[in-house]
Amino acid sequence: MAKIIAGVGCSHVPAIGAAIDLGKTGEAYWQPLFKGFEFSKRWIADEKPDVVILVYNDHASAFSLEMIPTFAIGCAAQFQPADEGWGPRPVPVVQGHPELAWHIAQATILDEFDMTIVNKMDVDHGLTVPLSLMFGQPEAWPCPVIPLAVNVVQYPPPTGNRCYQLGRAIRKAVASFDQDLKVMIFGTGGMSHQLQGPRAGLINSEFDRRFLDKLTADPDGLARLPHIEYVREAGSEGIELVMWLIMRGALEEKVHERYRFYHVPASNTAVGHIILENPR
Ligand code: DHB
Ligand code: FE
């Protein structure tokens, strides 16, 4: 049977992608950030997941304001890097896993989560930056990736608790897929940041660290945090953090925090990263 072995939390700042693509990772501004992912790259190369479920948000690349699914699962065989205005990132095409994706779609929808099924979708920095941080710059991504897009752009996004419960439904779905697959789930976006208005540039490191503590040790408590607290404490784009709760819900109640990294600044955001392992 398929098994979720670990979860990864990771920010997705587009400037990180540009730094990688333009060969700037060794520059003084970026060096400390990329150093923080060296362990993670070794770890994931050792763990060799067969599939990654990547929970992320689209930034009006695949979905404009004309159509806004709350939760959308990519069931296609391939996903092209999106053109976000400067041409597509020079990263490999993302290979999907249609069989497992359709299985998760079926299992979660029959479990009463109204998942949108997507058979064609370009993927933007929300998905490709976490892949680059974890896998570097390979010729091809080392495993198939199932994109799971969450609306955190247009009010109202799903609640943290809804995300957490969806994670639990994904846990059950994966456990009932009858192929021996080592599955990882990434929860991406965040941490605290606000890109516009009088509070632009807001960073709340205390909130971010507390979020990481609770993600590991008290996810039930964290799932009850209302939207307004995210926006007030972590800025308007800090709401992206609800996506990390999908990852956490897909893991067991007790997890081992294998690694944590936190860094400010990266463009306008605080970068957070965590690796949580299920008990073996
Ligand atoms: C920035 C961060 C984001 O999450 C994003 O989607 C766009 C820009 C930034 O900090 O520049
Ligand atoms: Fe974003």
Side-chain angles (χ1 to χ4, degrees), residues 139-184:
E139 282 292 308
W141 298 120
C143 68
V145 175
I146 298 174
L148 201 171
V150 180
N151 168 41
V152 288
V153 169
Q154 171 62 56
Y155 185 85
T159 63
N161 187 50
R162 189 64 174 160
C163 289
Y164 188 52
Q165 299 306 330
L166 175 61
R168 289 183 160 168
I170 292 170
R171 187 200 310 183
K172 277 194 282 174
V174 170
S176 66
F177 186 66
D178 74 353
Q179 283 181 29
D180 283 329
L181 293 176
K182 280 205 284 186
V183 180
M184 276 190 197

Short mmCIF file of all heavy atoms in Angstrom, two decimals, residues 139-184:
data_model
loop_
_atom_site.label_atom_id
_atom_site.label_comp_id
_atom_site.label_asym_id
_atom_site.label_seq_id
_atom_site.Cartn_x
_atom_site.Cartn_y
_atom_site.Cartn_z
N GLU A 139 18.05 17.80 -14.24
CA GLU A 139 17.56 17.75 -15.63
C GLU A 139 16.06 17.45 -15.66
O GLU A 139 15.33 17.96 -16.49
CB GLU A 139 18.28 16.62 -16.38
CG GLU A 139 19.70 16.96 -16.82
CD GLU A 139 19.70 18.02 -17.90
OE1 GLU A 139 18.99 17.82 -18.91
OE2 GLU A 139 20.39 19.05 -17.71
N ALA A 140 15.67 16.54 -14.75
CA ALA A 140 14.25 16.19 -14.60
C ALA A 140 13.97 16.11 -13.11
O ALA A 140 14.85 15.69 -12.35
CB ALA A 140 13.96 14.85 -15.28
N TRP A 141 12.77 16.48 -12.66
CA TRP A 141 12.44 16.31 -11.25
C TRP A 141 12.52 14.82 -10.92
O TRP A 141 12.09 13.98 -11.72
CB TRP A 141 11.04 16.86 -10.95
CG TRP A 141 10.88 18.32 -11.21
CD1 TRP A 141 10.01 18.92 -12.07
CD2 TRP A 141 11.62 19.40 -10.61
NE1 TRP A 141 10.15 20.29 -12.06
CE2 TRP A 141 11.14 20.61 -11.16
CE3 TRP A 141 12.65 19.47 -9.66
CZ2 TRP A 141 11.64 21.87 -10.80
CZ3 TRP A 141 13.15 20.73 -9.30
CH2 TRP A 141 12.65 21.90 -9.87
N PRO A 142 13.05 14.48 -9.74
CA PRO A 142 13.33 13.06 -9.47
C PRO A 142 12.09 12.19 -9.24
O PRO A 142 12.21 10.97 -9.20
CB PRO A 142 14.19 13.10 -8.20
CG PRO A 142 13.94 14.44 -7.60
CD PRO A 142 13.56 15.36 -8.70
N CYS A 143 10.91 12.78 -9.09
CA CYS A 143 9.72 11.94 -8.90
C CYS A 143 8.49 12.69 -9.42
O CYS A 143 8.52 13.90 -9.59
CB CYS A 143 9.54 11.55 -7.43
SG CYS A 143 9.14 12.93 -6.35
N PRO A 144 7.40 11.95 -9.65
CA PRO A 144 6.15 12.61 -10.03
C PRO A 144 5.62 13.50 -8.90
O PRO A 144 5.90 13.23 -7.72
CB PRO A 144 5.19 11.45 -10.29
CG PRO A 144 6.03 10.23 -10.43
CD PRO A 144 7.28 10.48 -9.65
N VAL A 145 4.88 14.52 -9.28
CA VAL A 145 4.34 15.49 -8.33
C VAL A 145 2.84 15.66 -8.61
O VAL A 145 2.44 15.83 -9.76
CB VAL A 145 5.05 16.86 -8.50
CG1 VAL A 145 4.41 17.92 -7.61
CG2 VAL A 145 6.54 16.74 -8.20
N ILE A 146 2.04 15.59 -7.55
CA ILE A 146 0.61 15.85 -7.68
C ILE A 146 0.33 17.25 -7.12
O ILE A 146 0.45 17.47 -5.92
CB ILE A 146 -0.22 14.80 -6.92
CG1 ILE A 146 0.02 13.41 -7.51
CG2 ILE A 146 -1.71 15.16 -6.95
CD1 ILE A 146 -0.65 12.28 -6.73
N PRO A 147 -0.01 18.21 -8.00
CA PRO A 147 -0.29 19.56 -7.51
C PRO A 147 -1.67 19.61 -6.85
O PRO A 147 -2.64 19.07 -7.38
CB PRO A 147 -0.30 20.41 -8.79
CG PRO A 147 0.22 19.54 -9.89
CD PRO A 147 -0.07 18.14 -9.48
N LEU A 148 -1.72 20.24 -5.68
CA LEU A 148 -3.01 20.46 -5.02
C LEU A 148 -3.11 21.96 -4.72
O LEU A 148 -2.45 22.47 -3.81
CB LEU A 148 -3.10 19.63 -3.73
CG LEU A 148 -4.50 19.34 -3.20
CD1 LEU A 148 -4.44 18.34 -2.07
CD2 LEU A 148 -5.25 20.58 -2.75
N ALA A 149 -3.87 22.66 -5.56
CA ALA A 149 -3.95 24.12 -5.46
C ALA A 149 -5.06 24.52 -4.48
O ALA A 149 -6.14 23.94 -4.48
CB ALA A 149 -4.22 24.72 -6.84
N VAL A 150 -4.75 25.52 -3.65
CA VAL A 150 -5.69 26.01 -2.63
C VAL A 150 -5.89 27.50 -2.86
O VAL A 150 -4.92 28.23 -3.09
CB VAL A 150 -5.11 25.76 -1.21
CG1 VAL A 150 -6.06 26.27 -0.14
CG2 VAL A 150 -4.79 24.28 -1.01
N ASN A 151 -7.14 27.94 -2.80
CA ASN A 151 -7.37 29.38 -2.94
C ASN A 151 -7.04 30.12 -1.64
O ASN A 151 -7.75 30.01 -0.65
CB ASN A 151 -8.83 29.66 -3.29
CG ASN A 151 -9.15 31.15 -3.14
OD1 ASN A 151 -8.33 32.00 -3.52
ND2 ASN A 151 -10.29 31.47 -2.55
N VAL A 152 -5.94 30.88 -1.67
CA VAL A 152 -5.63 31.77 -0.55
C VAL A 152 -5.44 33.19 -1.08
O VAL A 152 -4.87 34.04 -0.42
CB VAL A 152 -4.36 31.31 0.22
CG1 VAL A 152 -4.63 30.06 1.03
CG2 VAL A 152 -3.18 31.10 -0.71
N VAL A 153 -5.93 33.42 -2.30
CA VAL A 153 -5.73 34.71 -2.96
C VAL A 153 -6.99 35.58 -2.84
O VAL A 153 -6.91 36.76 -2.52
CB VAL A 153 -5.35 34.50 -4.44
CG1 VAL A 153 -5.40 35.79 -5.22
CG2 VAL A 153 -3.95 33.88 -4.53
N GLN A 154 -8.14 34.99 -3.10
CA GLN A 154 -9.40 35.76 -3.09
C GLN A 154 -10.23 35.33 -1.88
O GLN A 154 -10.49 34.15 -1.69
CB GLN A 154 -10.16 35.47 -4.39
CG GLN A 154 -11.59 36.01 -4.44
CD GLN A 154 -11.64 37.53 -4.33
OE1 GLN A 154 -11.00 38.23 -5.13
NE2 GLN A 154 -12.35 38.05 -3.33
N TYR A 155 -10.66 36.32 -1.06
CA TYR A 155 -11.52 36.00 0.07
C TYR A 155 -12.81 35.36 -0.44
O TYR A 155 -13.34 35.82 -1.43
CB TYR A 155 -11.84 37.29 0.85
CG TYR A 155 -12.63 37.02 2.11
CD1 TYR A 155 -11.99 36.67 3.29
CD2 TYR A 155 -14.03 37.07 2.09
CE1 TYR A 155 -12.71 36.38 4.44
CE2 TYR A 155 -14.76 36.78 3.23
CZ TYR A 155 -14.10 36.43 4.39
OH TYR A 155 -14.82 36.13 5.51
N PRO A 156 -13.35 34.32 0.20
CA PRO A 156 -12.86 33.68 1.42
C PRO A 156 -12.04 32.42 1.14
O PRO A 156 -12.49 31.53 0.43
CB PRO A 156 -14.17 33.27 2.10
CG PRO A 156 -15.12 32.98 0.96
CD PRO A 156 -14.69 33.86 -0.19
N PRO A 157 -10.83 32.35 1.70
CA PRO A 157 -10.08 31.10 1.64
C PRO A 157 -10.68 30.07 2.59
O PRO A 157 -11.47 30.44 3.46
CB PRO A 157 -8.67 31.51 2.10
CG PRO A 157 -8.88 32.72 2.95
CD PRO A 157 -10.14 33.39 2.49
N PRO A 158 -10.31 28.80 2.45
CA PRO A 158 -10.81 27.80 3.41
C PRO A 158 -10.21 28.05 4.80
O PRO A 158 -9.13 28.63 4.91
CB PRO A 158 -10.30 26.48 2.83
CG PRO A 158 -9.12 26.85 1.99
CD PRO A 158 -9.39 28.22 1.46
N THR A 159 -10.92 27.61 5.83
CA THR A 159 -10.40 27.78 7.20
C THR A 159 -9.21 26.85 7.42
O THR A 159 -9.05 25.84 6.73
CB THR A 159 -11.48 27.43 8.25
OG1 THR A 159 -11.81 26.04 8.11
CG2 THR A 159 -12.73 28.29 8.09
N GLY A 160 -8.43 27.18 8.42
CA GLY A 160 -7.33 26.30 8.81
C GLY A 160 -7.84 24.92 9.16
O GLY A 160 -7.24 23.90 8.79
N ASN A 161 -8.97 24.87 9.86
CA ASN A 161 -9.50 23.57 10.26
C ASN A 161 -9.95 22.75 9.06
O ASN A 161 -9.74 21.54 9.00
CB ASN A 161 -10.67 23.74 11.24
CG ASN A 161 -11.11 22.41 11.80
OD1 ASN A 161 -10.30 21.62 12.27
ND2 ASN A 161 -12.41 22.12 11.70
N ARG A 162 -10.56 23.42 8.06
CA ARG A 162 -10.98 22.70 6.86
C ARG A 162 -9.75 22.11 6.16
O ARG A 162 -9.77 20.98 5.66
CB ARG A 162 -11.73 23.66 5.92
CG ARG A 162 -12.38 22.96 4.74
CD ARG A 162 -13.46 22.01 5.18
NE ARG A 162 -14.20 21.43 4.07
CZ ARG A 162 -14.92 20.32 4.16
NH1 ARG A 162 -15.00 19.68 5.32
NH2 ARG A 162 -15.57 19.85 3.12
N CYS A 163 -8.68 22.88 6.12
CA CYS A 163 -7.44 22.40 5.52
C CYS A 163 -6.89 21.21 6.30
O CYS A 163 -6.48 20.20 5.71
CB CYS A 163 -6.41 23.53 5.48
SG CYS A 163 -6.82 24.82 4.29
N TYR A 164 -6.90 21.33 7.61
CA TYR A 164 -6.39 20.25 8.47
C TYR A 164 -7.21 18.97 8.24
O TYR A 164 -6.66 17.87 8.11
CB TYR A 164 -6.49 20.72 9.92
CG TYR A 164 -5.85 19.82 10.94
CD1 TYR A 164 -4.54 19.39 10.81
CD2 TYR A 164 -6.57 19.42 12.07
CE1 TYR A 164 -3.96 18.57 11.78
CE2 TYR A 164 -5.99 18.61 13.04
CZ TYR A 164 -4.68 18.19 12.88
OH TYR A 164 -4.11 17.38 13.85
N GLN A 165 -8.53 19.12 8.18
CA GLN A 165 -9.40 17.95 7.97
C GLN A 165 -9.18 17.37 6.56
O GLN A 165 -9.22 16.15 6.38
CB GLN A 165 -10.88 18.31 8.17
CG GLN A 165 -11.22 18.83 9.57
CD GLN A 165 -10.78 17.89 10.70
OE1 GLN A 165 -10.71 16.67 10.54
NE2 GLN A 165 -10.43 18.46 11.85
N LEU A 166 -8.95 18.23 5.58
CA LEU A 166 -8.66 17.71 4.23
C LEU A 166 -7.37 16.89 4.25
O LEU A 166 -7.28 15.84 3.62
CB LEU A 166 -8.53 18.86 3.22
CG LEU A 166 -8.11 18.42 1.80
CD1 LEU A 166 -9.13 17.46 1.19
CD2 LEU A 166 -7.90 19.63 0.89
N GLY A 167 -6.39 17.36 5.02
CA GLY A 167 -5.15 16.60 5.17
C GLY A 167 -5.44 15.20 5.70
O GLY A 167 -4.90 14.20 5.21
N ARG A 168 -6.32 15.13 6.69
CA ARG A 168 -6.67 13.81 7.24
C ARG A 168 -7.32 12.92 6.20
O ARG A 168 -7.08 11.71 6.14
CB ARG A 168 -7.60 13.99 8.44
CG ARG A 168 -6.86 14.57 9.62
CD ARG A 168 -7.80 14.67 10.80
NE ARG A 168 -7.04 14.76 12.03
CZ ARG A 168 -7.56 15.09 13.19
NH1 ARG A 168 -8.84 15.36 13.30
NH2 ARG A 168 -6.81 15.16 14.26
N ALA A 169 -8.17 13.52 5.38
CA ALA A 169 -8.83 12.75 4.31
C ALA A 169 -7.79 12.26 3.30
O ALA A 169 -7.89 11.15 2.76
CB ALA A 169 -9.91 13.60 3.64
N ILE A 170 -6.78 13.09 3.04
CA ILE A 170 -5.72 12.68 2.11
C ILE A 170 -4.91 11.54 2.72
O ILE A 170 -4.51 10.59 2.03
CB ILE A 170 -4.82 13.89 1.76
CG1 ILE A 170 -5.62 14.90 0.92
CG2 ILE A 170 -3.54 13.46 1.04
CD1 ILE A 170 -4.93 16.23 0.70
N ARG A 171 -4.69 11.60 4.03
CA ARG A 171 -3.97 10.51 4.72
C ARG A 171 -4.69 9.18 4.48
O ARG A 171 -4.09 8.18 4.08
CB ARG A 171 -3.93 10.80 6.23
CG ARG A 171 -3.08 9.83 7.00
CD ARG A 171 -3.39 9.79 8.49
NE ARG A 171 -3.44 11.08 9.15
CZ ARG A 171 -3.66 11.22 10.47
NH1 ARG A 171 -3.82 10.16 11.24
NH2 ARG A 171 -3.73 12.42 11.02
N LYS A 172 -6.01 9.17 4.67
CA LYS A 172 -6.81 7.94 4.47
C LYS A 172 -6.77 7.52 3.01
O LYS A 172 -6.67 6.33 2.68
CB LYS A 172 -8.28 8.20 4.86
CG LYS A 172 -8.55 8.05 6.34
CD LYS A 172 -10.05 7.96 6.60
CE LYS A 172 -10.71 9.33 6.52
NZ LYS A 172 -12.18 9.31 6.61
N ALA A 173 -6.86 8.51 2.13
CA ALA A 173 -6.88 8.21 0.69
C ALA A 173 -5.58 7.53 0.27
O ALA A 173 -5.60 6.51 -0.43
CB ALA A 173 -7.08 9.50 -0.11
N VAL A 174 -4.46 8.07 0.70
CA VAL A 174 -3.17 7.49 0.31
C VAL A 174 -3.04 6.09 0.87
O VAL A 174 -2.60 5.15 0.18
CB VAL A 174 -2.00 8.40 0.78
CG1 VAL A 174 -0.65 7.70 0.61
CG2 VAL A 174 -2.02 9.72 0.01
N ALA A 175 -3.48 5.90 2.13
CA ALA A 175 -3.34 4.59 2.79
C ALA A 175 -4.18 3.52 2.09
O ALA A 175 -3.94 2.33 2.27
CB ALA A 175 -3.73 4.71 4.25
N SER A 176 -5.18 3.94 1.28
CA SER A 176 -6.02 2.95 0.61
C SER A 176 -5.66 2.79 -0.86
O SER A 176 -6.41 2.19 -1.63
CB SER A 176 -7.50 3.36 0.75
OG SER A 176 -7.74 4.56 0.05
N PHE A 177 -4.50 3.30 -1.25
CA PHE A 177 -4.05 3.16 -2.65
C PHE A 177 -3.14 1.95 -2.74
O PHE A 177 -2.12 1.88 -2.06
CB PHE A 177 -3.30 4.42 -3.09
CG PHE A 177 -2.93 4.42 -4.55
CD1 PHE A 177 -3.91 4.47 -5.53
CD2 PHE A 177 -1.60 4.41 -4.94
CE1 PHE A 177 -3.57 4.49 -6.88
CE2 PHE A 177 -1.25 4.43 -6.29
CZ PHE A 177 -2.24 4.47 -7.25
N ASP A 178 -3.52 0.98 -3.59
CA ASP A 178 -2.83 -0.30 -3.49
C ASP A 178 -1.61 -0.44 -4.39
O ASP A 178 -1.46 -1.39 -5.13
CB ASP A 178 -3.81 -1.47 -3.66
CG ASP A 178 -4.26 -1.63 -5.10
OD1 ASP A 178 -3.91 -0.75 -5.91
OD2 ASP A 178 -4.94 -2.62 -5.41
N GLN A 179 -0.73 0.54 -4.32
CA GLN A 179 0.61 0.38 -4.88
C GLN A 179 1.59 0.73 -3.77
O GLN A 179 1.31 1.63 -2.98
CB GLN A 179 0.84 1.35 -6.04
CG GLN A 179 0.18 0.94 -7.34
CD GLN A 179 0.49 1.96 -8.45
OE1 GLN A 179 1.52 2.62 -8.46
NE2 GLN A 179 -0.43 2.07 -9.39
N ASP A 180 2.71 0.03 -3.73
CA ASP A 180 3.73 0.34 -2.71
C ASP A 180 4.45 1.62 -3.11
O ASP A 180 5.37 1.59 -3.91
CB ASP A 180 4.74 -0.81 -2.60
CG ASP A 180 4.15 -1.96 -1.80
OD1 ASP A 180 3.32 -1.70 -0.91
OD2 ASP A 180 4.52 -3.11 -2.09
N LEU A 181 4.02 2.73 -2.55
CA LEU A 181 4.64 4.00 -2.89
C LEU A 181 5.02 4.72 -1.61
O LEU A 181 4.25 4.76 -0.65
CB LEU A 181 3.65 4.90 -3.65
CG LEU A 181 3.22 4.48 -5.05
CD1 LEU A 181 2.16 5.45 -5.56
CD2 LEU A 181 4.42 4.44 -5.99
N LYS A 182 6.23 5.31 -1.62
CA LYS A 182 6.64 6.21 -0.53
C LYS A 182 6.19 7.61 -0.93
O LYS A 182 6.69 8.17 -1.91
CB LYS A 182 8.16 6.21 -0.38
CG LYS A 182 8.70 5.03 0.40
CD LYS A 182 10.05 5.36 1.04
CE LYS A 182 11.18 5.37 0.04
NZ LYS A 182 12.51 5.54 0.64
N VAL A 183 5.26 8.16 -0.19
CA VAL A 183 4.67 9.45 -0.55
C VAL A 183 5.13 10.52 0.44
O VAL A 183 5.20 10.27 1.63
CB VAL A 183 3.13 9.35 -0.53
CG1 VAL A 183 2.49 10.68 -0.92
CG2 VAL A 183 2.66 8.24 -1.48
N MET A 184 5.46 11.69 -0.09
CA MET A 184 5.69 12.86 0.76
C MET A 184 4.65 13.90 0.43
O MET A 184 4.15 13.95 -0.70
CB MET A 184 7.08 13.45 0.52
CG MET A 184 8.16 12.77 1.29
SD MET A 184 9.68 13.71 1.15
CE MET A 184 10.82 12.45 1.70
#
